């Protein structure tokens, strides 16, 4: 689906939802057809979930490092074409930057794998991660119930009374 088709589909969906919600519209002159104004900003649901913070941080760092490496490599190439004395140090720096950029990209991959393992993003229904989450939820529920019961006892005057005086 191209951009124009997506925009048309979004506009059609928006127009349909406006008609269903009963929003006000103006009549166009002479034709008697309603004119719907398309809003400037239409909220669309995300297709994919957002990256976790550590992975996003590593990805941003990697993109910046790779961009700087490409700039440095291009500068080294142009210096070599021009026959400048600066080309040799620039080539050495480009080689070092390439190593650092490779490390940055691998860092994104490793960070993502570690995050997935620690936080249990797996699709197997009987995964260990889901079981751990269930146990944590059960423990939190138990703690809330215990706290509620203790609060209820305190409100009643809870000095070990078995009945009202």
């Amino acid at each position: 689906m191209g951009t124009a088709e997506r925009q048309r589909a979004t506009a059609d969906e928006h127009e349909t939802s406006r008609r269903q919600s009963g929003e006000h519209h103006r009549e166009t002159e002479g034709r008697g057809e309603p004119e719907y104004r398309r809003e400037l900003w239409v909220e669309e649901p995300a297709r994919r979930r957002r990256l976790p913070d550590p992975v996003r941080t590593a990805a941003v760092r990697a993109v910046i490092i790779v961009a700087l490496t490409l700039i440095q490599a291009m500068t080294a190439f142009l210096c070599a074409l021009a026959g400048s004395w600066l080309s040799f140090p620039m080539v050495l720096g480009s080689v070092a930057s390439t190593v650092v950029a490779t490390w940055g990209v691998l860092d994104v991959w490793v960070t993502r794998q570690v995050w997935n393992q620690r936080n249990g993003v797996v699709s197997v229904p009987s995964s260990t991660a889901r079981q751990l989450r269930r146990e944590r939820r059960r423990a939190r529920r138990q703690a809330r119930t215990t706290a509620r019961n203790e609060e209820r006892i305190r409100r009643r005057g809870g000095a070990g009374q078995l009945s009202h005086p």
Side-chain angles (χ1 to χ4, degrees):
M1 178 185 282
T3 306
E5 293 168 335
R6 189 172 24 250
Q7 286 177 345
R8 239 181 277 117
T10 304
D12 292 344
E13 290 171 5
H14 191 64
E15 185 174 321
T16 304
S17 67
R18 277 187 160 191
R19 285 181 184 161
Q20 290 172 350
S21 66
E23 289 185 23
H24 298 290
H25 57 272
R26 296 183 320 190
E27 296 283 327
T28 53
E29 297 174 19
R31 287 186 272 172
E33 298 173 2
E35 176 186 320
Y36 293 97
R37 287 184 22 214
R38 187 164 173 240
E39 291 183 18
L40 182 63
W41 187 267
V42 178
E43 197 75 30
E44 290 183 9
R47 293 209 168 106
R48 292 191 319 173
R49 290 191 351 214
R50 184 176 168 179
L51 283 174
D53 286 339
V55 179
R56 193 170 54 252
T57 303
V60 168
R61 185 172 46 238
V63 165
I64 291 171
I65 291 171
V66 168
L68 290 174
T69 300
L70 288 173
I71 291 170
Q72 190 174 10
M74 181 58 72
T75 306
F77 177 72
L78 292 175
C79 284
L81 284 180
S84 171
W85 63 271
L86 200 55
S87 65
F88 181 69
M90 289 294 289
V91 168
L92 289 179
S94 293
V95 170
S97 285
T98 302
V99 171
V100 172
T102 305
W103 167 82
V105 172
L106 283 175
D107 180 44
V108 174
W109 182 67
V110 169
T111 305
R112 186 166 180 256
Q113 295 299 324
V114 168
W115 195 90
N116 283 343
Q117 284 181 356
R118 285 187 183 159
N119 297 291
V121 180
V122 280
S123 60
V124 181
S126 60
S127 72
T128 308
R130 285 191 184 168
Q131 188 176 2
L132 288 173
R133 281 197 301 263
R134 276 191 208 112
E135 289 172 7
R136 275 190 237 124
R137 276 196 301 262
R138 197 175 298 127
R140 278 193 302 247
R141 235 180 271 130
Q142 183 73 28
R144 279 195 306 261
T145 305
T146 305
R148 235 182 281 131
N149 289 340
E150 289 176 4
E151 181 62 31
R152 194 176 302 136
I153 290 170
R154 261 189 242 115
R155 274 186 299 199
R156 288 183 182 168
Q161 295 177 337
L162 297 177
S163 61
H164 294 285

